[in-house]
Amino acid sequence: MSKSQQLFEQALARIPGGVNSPVRAFRAVGGDPVFIERGEGSQIISAEGRSYIDYVMSWGPLILGHAPPEAIEEITRVARGGTSFGACTEAEVRLAERIAEAFPSIERVRLTSSGTEATMSALRVARAATGRDKILKFDGCYHGHADSLLVKAGSGVATLGLPDSPGVPRALAELTITIPFNDLAALEQAFEAHRDELAAVIVEPVVGNMGCVPPRPGFLQALRRLTAAHGTILIFDEVITGFRIARGGAQELYGIKPDLTTLGKIIGGGLPVGAYGGKAEVMDLVAPAGPVYQAGTLSGNPLAVAAGLKTLEIVSRPGFYEHLEGISAQLGTGLVRTAHDAGVPLTLNRVGSMLTAFFASGPVEDYTAARRADTAKFARFFRALLDRGIYWPPSQFECAMLSAAHSYEDVECTVAAASEALRILQET
Ligand code: PMP
């Protein structure tokens, strides 16, 4: 029995399902999870001492790779001065300024400790600002595990094939309207049916949580037009895409200005963080500026803020996103070519350094199409990659993420492993 297997057995005795977040359990791909001892650059090293090229990257925060020396130095320096004060610090102000510089739609921003808190709080503000209760989300989008948002959700909910979660009061779930992503007609119908009842539309502008699904041309523009016309607040959930697909996220890439934006992951450089922000007139409803209550013991935590500030400094250096685009394009092209050579139907969706190889033959533009992918084939692909030292996300419905620490050699190695894995799929 390997060390990871031993640890998982012990974990199962004390932690539900052996994990602190569901997708980590490898349920969708079979086998026991690998326990990680440490990370370095593009690699993680398991409890057994085996190295893997990592494409999970802690599900997005690690755009600089594991243990980036400059950030670790800064976190260590700050930690020596204390880990939390529950009081104001200069660094929080600087992080808010850096976020507002990159996201012109954000005039004021509040830090939280997770993406879940950010989206939950953004909804609360939107409801307060509009005096309306209903919200609209898209099938397969995941916005954290707050009650209102666990309806037709992606990510682990999709991975485990769960229906909407028990424990969410029906009365609350009924306030969440869901429609397919990228479906303009459904969007127009929803506004027709609920015209002056929708407080907010929340969307992952590039979906990461049903696998990577980019918006069809014009879809986000239509969303902006309809929300503005109906006094509905448009929330871009950029927890994954913020500072990843461009410094200014999807709103920079597609040229759309949402009313509110949620962030997380990269802005905390791998420490717990989230943020929500937007127009001053809306954000000034948040306590103590206004009456909408939201708080957090560890919000704006000094270590998370230090890691975030250093990360945002590094991603702002010239050429950062060009390098990321170069290696990501190489990986995307390599996977498409090897799948073609092996005769395996594969649809590759990629926006910048987030990508998904769907085991499907047609385009994947919504959750229905994503669910048509051959998850059994994906599971075998995943295991074959793992055997070859590649740690791919353990679900068909998640994105692979690259970091600045990934090299062209890493990608070459990955494509070679994928080529073998796909050939094995065809033979067995
Ligand atoms: N929104 C999106 C788009 C996410 O991908 C996630 C998490 N993967 C969340 C919100 C929730 O963030 P957290 O896990 O930090 O609560």
Side-chain angles (χ1 to χ4, degrees):
M1 206 189 233
S2 73
K3 175 116 184 260
S4 285
Q5 285 168 328
Q6 284 170 27
L7 288 170
F8 193 51
E9 214 163 76
Q10 293 162 17
L12 283 166
R14 289 294 178 208
I15 306 174
V19 290
N20 282 314
S21 199
V23 183
R24 296 179 198 173
F26 281 25
R27 288 270 174 105
V29 288
D32 291 334
V34 177
F35 276 64
I36 312 300
E37 199 150 283
R38 62 191 179 86
E40 193 183 331
S42 62
Q43 316 244 326
I44 45 178
I45 295 96
S46 73
E48 294 73 34
R50 177 155 189 211
S51 293
Y52 297 85
I53 302 173
D54 181 20
Y55 290 95
V56 174
M57 286 289 144
S58 189
W59 304 101
L62 305 184
I63 198 161
L64 306 179
H66 292 279
E70 281 182 87
I72 297 299
E73 213 167 277
E74 183 61 7
I75 296 165
T76 312
R77 185 187 69 77
V78 170
R80 288 205 186 92
T83 56
S84 185
F85 309 111
C88 304
T89 64
E90 178 179 347
E92 298 173 295
V93 186
R94 302 295 162 241
L95 185 57
E97 288 169 351
R98 294 297 92 78
I99 290 171
E101 277 163 22
F103 286 77
S105 71
I106 299 183
E107 293 169 358
R108 305 240 205 287
V109 60
R110 170 61 63 80
L111 296 181
T112 62
S113 297
S114 68
T116 294
E117 286 171 78
T119 53
M120 180 181 81
S121 310
L123 282 190
R124 186 178 301 144
V125 182
R127 283 172 161 152
T130 56
R132 304 172 183 175
D133 288 340
K134 289 189 182 163
I135 58 155
L136 187 140
K137 77 176 278 291
F138 297 92
D139 302 344
C141 282
Y142 178 74
H143 305 289
H145 61 88
D147 284 347
S148 287
L149 292 164
L150 266 192
V151 181
K152 300 229 175 122
S155 191
V157 187
T159 301
L160 298 176
L162 294 175
D164 304 335
S165 177
V168 174
R170 184 177 303 153
L172 195 58
E174 279 169 5
L175 298 175
T176 303
I177 319 292
T178 65
I179 59 169
F181 185 69
N182 269 333
D183 186 338
L184 205 52
L187 186 63
E188 280 165 354
Q189 274 165 24
F191 269 99
E192 201 52 47
H194 304 281
R195 44 181 52 240
D196 296 326
E197 298 170 345
L198 289 175
V201 174
I202 185 165
V203 65
E204 291 182 77
V206 172
V207 188
N209 285 298
M210 52 175 119
C212 178
V213 177
R216 276 193 193 129
F219 180 69
L220 296 174
Q221 285 78 358
L223 200 48
R224 179 63 285 186
R225 185 169 36 78
L226 283 163
T227 46
H230 290 89
T232 296
I233 288 185
L234 177 59
I235 306 172
F236 269 16
D237 181 355
E238 300 230 39
V239 165
I240 293 179
T241 52
F243 293 96
R244 173 161 291 280
I245 59 177
R247 184 161 161 270
Q251 48 199 278
E252 176 187 314
L253 200 62
Y254 297 99
I256 310 253
K257 213 168 174 182
D259 303 305
L260 291 177
T261 299
T262 53
L263 294 166
K265 303 198 191 254
I266 289 173
I267 63 161
L271 279 93
V273 95
Y276 65 109
K279 287 182 184 164
E281 68 186 77
V282 179
M283 289 305 292
D284 281 347
L285 291 171
V286 178
V292 178
Y293 199 72
Q294 183 269 314
T297 301
L298 293 174
S299 294
N301 172 261
L303 300 189
V305 168
L309 270 175
K310 186 49 82 179
T311 304
L312 299 198
E313 178 196 322
I314 294 173
V315 302
S316 302
R317 291 178 187 160
F320 183 88
Y321 288 99
E322 285 77 4
H323 168 69
L324 211 49
E325 174 60 24
I327 46 171
S328 307
Q330 187 198 4
L331 179 58
T333 316
L335 290 174
V336 169
R337 192 186 58 242
T338 51
H340 182 264
D341 291 349
V344 177
L346 196 81
T347 298
L348 193 106
N349 284 358
R350 178 178 79 84
V351 179
S353 56
M354 50 196 283
L355 65 84
T356 299
F358 287 102
F359 284 83
S361 38
V364 179
E365 298 186 333
D366 60 22
Y367 192 41
T368 306
R371 291 219 71 94
R372 270 191 223 117
D374 187 336
T375 50
K377 221 175 223 177
F378 171 81
R380 284 158 61 212
F381 175 70
F382 168 88
R383 296 220 63 83
L385 283 184
L386 196 67
D387 287 346
R388 286 162 181 75
I390 311 294
Y391 191 84
W392 201 252
S395 165
Q396 175 72 102
F397 306 112
E398 302 281 358
C399 281
M401 312 263 191
L402 288 94
S403 78
H406 285 82
S407 62
Y408 285 97
E409 292 72 41
D410 284 333
V411 170
E412 235 169 68
C413 215
T414 306
V415 172
S419 172
E420 285 179 23
L422 291 167
R423 225 170 296 128
I424 291 171
L425 279 189
Q426 279 310 67
E427 284 160 11
T428 50

